[in-house]
Amino acid sequence: MTAHNKRSNKSSLNTANVWDTYWFHPAPLFNLALCRIIIVGFQLYYLISRDYWNTVLDRADAVAKFSPLPTFQLLNAPFPWDAPPSFFLAAMLLLTLASGSTSLVGFKTRLSLFLFGLSNLYLQTYLYSFGSFHHGEAILIIVLFLFALAPSGGTLSWDDFRQRLNQQKNNRQFQAFNILQGASTYARWPLLVTQWLFSLIYLSAAINKVNADGPGLLSAQWMNGYTLQYYLLRDGSQWGSELGVWLGQFHIPAVISSWFAVIFEATFFLVLPFPKLIWIFIPLGFMLHIGIWMAQRAPFFHYLAVYAVFIPWSALFKRVANQLKWTQQSAQAELFYDGKLSSLRPILTALSYFDWFGRIHFRDLQEEGSQLLKQQPSIANEANPDNLYCVEPNGKVQKGFYALRKSMEYSTVLWPLRMVLSLPGVNLVGERAYQLATVNTTTKLGVSHKASVTKPSDRRR
């Protein structure tokens, strides 16, 4: 092999390594999972809040206006009809809502996301086949298919939570964990692909505006402000936006807004090589699209939901947790437990799963029970002490069901559930259920409650 060939091969390998590193560098699973929840949750809300059900079913009576798009024809090919009947559209809507719900909670996540994307694509192309087109839904549907190919259920999902429960059952003792630490080489590429698609969409929109009729940039129809005034007056009148009609009367603000829109769209791609620019472009994007909605009633809310792919969620939560260390909100609760008691493992797994800010310090009684006895020596003399203790920063100790409820107070994500458990009368049911669960498990395992808390003198012996 000649020296030239060796250099060529080495250069090719370096290029391949750079390419692989860019797309498949290990990235937090938390980012991908939270984006899944935000995007799927938005789409479900969008379908329900905008009366999507009746919008789809009403089209079944307008067969004369139906002109199927090629994509819809491809999706509809397995079925024996050109225009789907009402019962099939209703079934497809039910499939959409069902698969969206399972995608949201992360049950059979990949299959659920694929079905959710496919049913959305079928229904949306069906609506488009009546001649009314919009460009807000497309990127969200594409993202659903991308997420279906990635480990989107790697965390923040029922699939992952059930797997962790099984792992904890197989372990001899409970072991705390932090879901923000999980990473995968396949968690980065779907977010990057979506970012590139977004940048290309905006760049295409900017080029289209600049290339409007006119000999140059300054004379292009979109840039002179009159075009935007026309759209403001037309859309404001048509869709009932008084703000749009009022803004359409002023030329200078229309010129400024036109230039702002073009500059924003033409430079949005800079967030790809310079990710920190998202803290400038994302707020500006929210302002732009919300302003368009208020003035022209043009909905670009799908874009706002998909903006989630640009946010480094894991790093953001870690940074907030570090900042909290300098405030009173950083105080940790110490949760003592018997790691061998299997009935507590689902509870402990859930608390550890949602302790994103690290405000719960998990301590095994078998290893660190002496510290608890120093703070609460009377526990060792109880006939049947509980197996879960929450020690607050002020030294106050809660036990059993109340320890569980107090721990939720330190887990910000579980605050809604903590509020429910604080409702009048709930503590009676919760305390009884907790006692039954621990007593039944302790009896099966033959574990002595008193053995859970070991005195310091016993350890020395």
Side-chain angles (χ1 to χ4, degrees):
M1 183 180 294
T2 64
H4 174 74
N5 291 336
K6 290 182 178 180
R7 287 195 299 269
S8 178
N9 290 338
K10 186 176 182 180
S11 177
S12 299
L13 288 174
N14 290 336
T15 302
N17 289 335
V18 170
W19 177 263
D20 289 342
T21 301
Y22 180 76
W23 294 103
F24 301 106
H25 184 75
L29 286 165
F30 185 87
N31 293 352
L32 182 61
L34 191 56
C35 288
R36 181 201 85 233
I37 292 174
I38 293 173
I39 292 171
V40 171
F42 166 82
Q43 183 65 0
L44 282 174
Y45 171 78
Y46 181 83
L47 297 179
I48 296 171
S49 64
R50 296 184 65 86
D51 198 20
Y52 200 77
W53 184 283
N54 290 326
T55 301
V56 172
L57 295 182
D58 288 346
R59 296 292 195 280
D61 299 327
V63 180
K65 299 180 181 180
F66 182 69
S67 179
L69 298 176
T71 303
F72 179 81
Q73 290 178 330
L74 178 63
L75 296 172
N76 196 54
F79 306 107
W81 48 66
D82 294 328
S86 298
F87 79 88
F88 184 78
L89 292 173
M92 188 62 68
L93 283 164
L94 288 174
L95 174 63
T96 304
L97 296 176
S99 59
S101 300
T102 52
S103 298
L104 184 66
V105 300
F107 177 74
K108 302 293 183 183
T109 311
R110 291 196 176 189
L111 177 61
S112 296
L113 283 169
F114 177 76
L115 293 176
F116 191 48
L118 192 64
S119 56
N120 270 281
L121 181 61
Y122 184 92
L123 293 174
Q124 200 60 56
T125 53
Y126 170 73
L127 292 177
Y128 284 173
S129 296
F130 289 88
S132 178
F133 296 92
H134 304 281
H135 45 279
E137 298 87 353
I139 188 168
L140 189 143
I141 295 176
I142 293 173
V143 169
L144 292 177
F145 285 110
L146 292 176
F147 281 16
L149 298 174
S152 304
T155 191
L156 292 181
S157 67
W158 173 250
D159 295 339
D160 178 53
F161 184 73
R162 183 179 57 184
Q163 182 179 359
R164 290 182 185 272
L165 278 178
N166 292 333
Q167 290 176 350
Q168 295 291 355
K169 289 179 181 179
N170 295 330
N171 294 337
R172 297 184 61 183
Q173 289 184 313
F174 171 78
Q175 296 181 2
F177 56 89
N178 188 340
I179 64 171
L180 270 66
Q181 304 299 331
S184 171
T185 55
Y186 300 105
R188 177 181 168 92
W189 72 265
L191 303 180
L192 284 177
V193 170
T194 307
Q195 292 175 17
W196 275 93
L197 286 175
F198 236 125
S199 301
L200 292 174
I201 288 171
Y202 278 138
L203 186 60
S204 174
I207 293 174
N208 183 66
K209 291 181 177 67
V210 171
N211 284 342
D213 293 340
L217 175 62
L218 297 179
S219 59
Q221 288 185 358
W222 180 262
M223 310 303 295
N224 58 27
Y226 295 111
T227 300
L228 181 56
Q229 280 186 276
Y230 165 76
Y231 283 123
L232 287 170
L233 292 171
R234 187 197 68 176
D235 295 343
S237 301
Q238 182 178 356
W239 304 110
S241 173
E242 297 181 1
L243 177 62
V245 175
W246 180 75
L247 289 174
Q249 302 175 48
F250 303 98
H251 181 64
I252 299 301
V255 174
I256 296 174
S257 299
S258 299
W259 277 83
F260 169 76
V262 171
I263 293 173
F264 171 83
E265 293 171 340
T267 59
F268 188 87
F269 73 92
L270 292 175
V271 301
L272 296 172
F274 307 106
K276 290 185 178 180
L277 289 178
I278 61 171
W279 305 115
I280 298 176
F281 278 92
I282 298 303
L284 289 177
F286 268 86
M287 292 172 53
L288 174 66
H289 293 304
I290 291 176
I292 291 173
W293 163 251
M294 294 176 64
Q296 298 177 257
R297 293 294 187 264
F300 286 89
F301 300 123
H302 294 82
Y303 283 19
L304 304 185
V306 182
Y307 274 165
V309 302
F310 292 95
I311 308 298
W313 296 105
S314 179
L316 184 63
F317 277 100
K318 290 178 181 178
R319 184 165 186 174
V320 171
N322 290 332
Q323 293 296 325
L324 288 176
K325 291 180 179 179
W326 304 99
T327 66
Q328 293 182 350
Q329 285 77 17
S330 65
Q332 286 185 326
E334 294 182 309
L335 190 64
F336 291 86
Y337 57 90
D338 184 349
K340 294 182 178 180
L341 193 61
S342 62
S343 64
L344 292 180
R345 294 184 188 179
I347 297 173
L348 295 169
T349 302
L351 290 174
S352 186
Y353 204 88
F354 294 104
D355 183 28
W356 299 354
F357 296 103
R359 297 191 62 201
I360 302 176
H361 193 178
F362 294 87
R363 294 180 178 273
D364 196 324
L365 284 168
Q366 301 294 334
E367 300 175 357
E368 303 180 79
S370 58
Q371 181 175 344
L372 179 60
L373 284 175
K374 291 179 181 178
Q375 300 175 359
Q376 198 80 359
S378 60
I379 290 179
N381 300 322
E382 294 183 6
N384 293 299
D386 296 284
N387 294 94
L388 192 64
Y389 304 89
C390 180
V391 181
E392 300 181 63
N394 60 6
K396 186 178 180 181
V397 178
Q398 302 276 4
K399 56 186 177 181
F401 168 76
Y402 300 99
L404 170 62
R405 191 172 67 181
K406 178 57 67 172
S407 298
M408 292 181 180
E409 185 175 320
Y410 289 85
S411 176
T412 307
V413 186
L414 294 177
W415 251 94
L417 181 57
R418 191 254 188 244
M419 298 301 294
V420 172
L421 295 179
S422 300
L423 295 175
V426 175
N427 59 327
L428 298 176
V429 179
E431 187 176 6
R432 181 59 179 167
Y434 178 88
Q435 289 175 350
L436 289 173
T438 54
V439 168
N440 289 340
T441 307
T442 303
T443 302
K444 291 178 182 178
L445 296 178
V447 178
S448 171
H449 281 288
K450 278 193 173 183
S452 298
V453 182
T454 307
K455 295 183 180 180
S457 57
D458 294 338
R459 282 194 171 193
R460 285 194 296 269
R461 293 186 191 129

